[in-house]
């Protein structure tokens, strides 16, 4: 073959790759409302920046007629490029080729890309569209998934890992995303389950549709497995880009810095009117957040899971912050099992990636209840105590209204190593609400009283006077300052700015033992 012919051959082979699993399979993929893997990669990377690695890899199994199968790129596109100007590694599975299933070589391609991401200190994005371990390759596929899981763990806390669920993802294709930091799932086409409806029917006799079992609602609101619901494929890619824009490339670098010369700290008088006079009346914490952060921009995470707490990324004067807040609109913002898990995981992520944490507190307590106790609220709630105490990034808390009991501590109190705590004049630190406290402290007195209602009211008033204000906490240095709500952005901006160089050394250990 002449050189010219060899070049022609290379061009022909490259062109073949773009046919994916063939015309019919691509048509089926498009009909299902899905893009092909190469179209997805094209949408993710800045134009002309993507370098594919291992495009000519293919399977070597001969089992079950595999020797007769042509699986271009072995069903996964891998490589590196720039996503909004930042180096990012990708693996994107091709459902048109053996259902995007993971065989030995397919897995090896992903592992090599993950190793590169680790060495280069750059994020790893995994677009999953796969039936899981490739059945024909048997234990080689299982081992392949094992190697991917192992690397998911090696990368964890070193570079951000983001999974997009862009098709029916079963078995290993569900577990690898579960080991990454954020899962974005596409409405309608994305499904996530360990075993599909048919297997469940066989084993347990239960009948369920794949949407009800592993669709976006099930895996967000019920299980809390996923973090973002995307309306369509483009929305998923854009969410991924937006998320990456808040994050540092790795754990040794700060997040992207858009700060200007001067702090934008003008007061917002509307905040002075946000807390209702009636302490039982709710308000929308999202509005408070929007008023505090840059450009009202809040990338909320898990918005349909444990909605009694809010978590997400924003910026304060151009720098990324992680926000944690009670949502008084839902269950009065009380902490339950799911809320504890949601917050704890997020706090750990922020701490691993040098992101300052701002906590907005309005919490009546941990949610009481038999189901909560049986479900292990003690163990789950302890995760919040653990993660906030363990976090060494700058931590700033604002007590807006209630800060009761263990939940006060769990929402990053001063005693858990919070660096700055301010309260609004409506703030209240107490062991519990007045009603509960009076029933415990004065039950006998009230029982014996000739005028129990009057006495109860008197005791309530006494308790409220003592604890329903921020001054008792301020008197004991649990609160650094009491500020007008309108000045909160100023307070946060200055605190975060002055904490930029915070250093906190802890005794060396292999790792702490978080109550999982
Ligand atoms: C090999 C597979 C495959 C797999 C799908 N295909 N899954 N090939 N191994 N695991 C192939 C199909 O044979 C078919 O090939 C093509 O992909 C498209 O699949 P369809 O079934 O036609 O598509 P659809 O109806 O959309 O259903 C998708 C699906 C279903 C829900 C993913 O295929 C399915 O249930 N697959 C098996 C899922 C599973 O149980 N995986 C677990 C593996 S064990 P043709 O040639 O006909 O187009 C595992 C363990 C890892 O992953 C370790 C965990 C800890």
């Amino acid at each position: 073959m002449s050189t010219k012919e060899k070049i022609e051959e290379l061009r022909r082979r490259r062109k073949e790759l773009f046919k994916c699993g063939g015309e019919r399979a691509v048509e089926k993929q498009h009909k299902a409302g899905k893009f092909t893997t190469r179209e997805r990669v094209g949408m993710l990377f800045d134009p002309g920046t993507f370098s594919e690695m291992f495009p000519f890899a293919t399977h070597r199994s001969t089992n079950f007629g595999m020797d007769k199968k042509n699986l271009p790129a072995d069903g996964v596109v891998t490589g590196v490029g720039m996503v909004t100007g930042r180096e990012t590694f990708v693996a994107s599975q091709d459902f048109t080729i053996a259902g995007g299933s993971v065989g030995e070589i397919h897995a090896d391609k992903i592992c090599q890309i993950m190793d590169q991401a680790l060495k280069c200190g750059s994020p790893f994005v995994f677009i999953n569209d796969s039936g899981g371990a490739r059945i024909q390759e048997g234990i080689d596929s299982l081992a392949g998934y094992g190697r991917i899981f192992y690397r998911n763990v090696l990368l964890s806390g070193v570079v951000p890992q983001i999974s997009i669920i862009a098709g029916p993802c079963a078995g290993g294709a569900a577990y690898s995303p579960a080991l990454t930091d954020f899962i974005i799932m596409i409405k309608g086409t994305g499904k996530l389950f360990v075993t599909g409806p048919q297997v469940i029917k066989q084993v347990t006799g239960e009948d369920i549709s794949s949407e009800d079992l592993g669709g976006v609602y099930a895996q967000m609101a019920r299980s809390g497995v996923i973090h973002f619901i995307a309306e369509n494929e483009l929305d998923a890619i854009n969410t991924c880009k937006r998320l990456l824009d808040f994050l540092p490339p790795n754990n040794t670098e700060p997040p992207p810095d858009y700060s200007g010369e001067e702090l934008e700290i003008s007061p917002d008088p509307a905040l002075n009117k946000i807390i209702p006079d009636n302490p039982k009346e709710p308000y929308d914490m999202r509005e408070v957040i929007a008023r505090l952060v840059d450009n009202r921009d809040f990338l909320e995470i898990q918005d349909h899971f444990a909605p009694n707490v809010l978590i997400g990324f924003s910026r304060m004067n151009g720098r990324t912050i992680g926000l944690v807040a009670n949502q008084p609109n839902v269950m009065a913002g009380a902490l339950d099992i799911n809320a504890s898990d949601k917050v704890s995981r997020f706090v750990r992520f922020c701490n691993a990636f040098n992101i300052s944490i701002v906590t907005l507190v309005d919490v009546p307590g941990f949610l009481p209840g038999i189901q909560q106790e049986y479900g292990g609220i003690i163990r789950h709630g302890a995760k919040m105590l653990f993660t906030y105490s363990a976090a060494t990034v700058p931590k700033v808390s604002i007590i807006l209204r209630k800060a009761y009991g263990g939940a006060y501590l769990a929402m990053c109190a001063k005693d858990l190593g919070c660096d700055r705590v301010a309260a609004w004049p409506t703030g209240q630190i107490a062991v519990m609400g007045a009603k509960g406290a009076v029933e415990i402290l004065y039950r006998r007195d009230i029982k014996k009283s000739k005028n129990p209602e009057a006495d109860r009211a008197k005791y309530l008033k006494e308790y409220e006077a003592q604890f329903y204000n921020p001054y008792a906490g301020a008197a004991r240095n649990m609160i650094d300052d009491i500020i007008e709500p309108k000045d909160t952005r100023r307070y946060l901006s200055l605190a975060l700015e002055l904490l930029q160089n915070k250093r906190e050394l802890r005794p060396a250990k292999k790792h702490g033992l978080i109550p999982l």
Side-chain angles (χ1 to χ4, degrees), residues 28 95 98-99 101 131-136 142 145 149 168 170-172 175:
K28 198 175 160 198
F95 195 77
S101 56
R134 188 174 293 157
I135 297 161
Q136 299 92 324
L142 273 186
Y145 256 127
F149 298 158
Y175 273 121

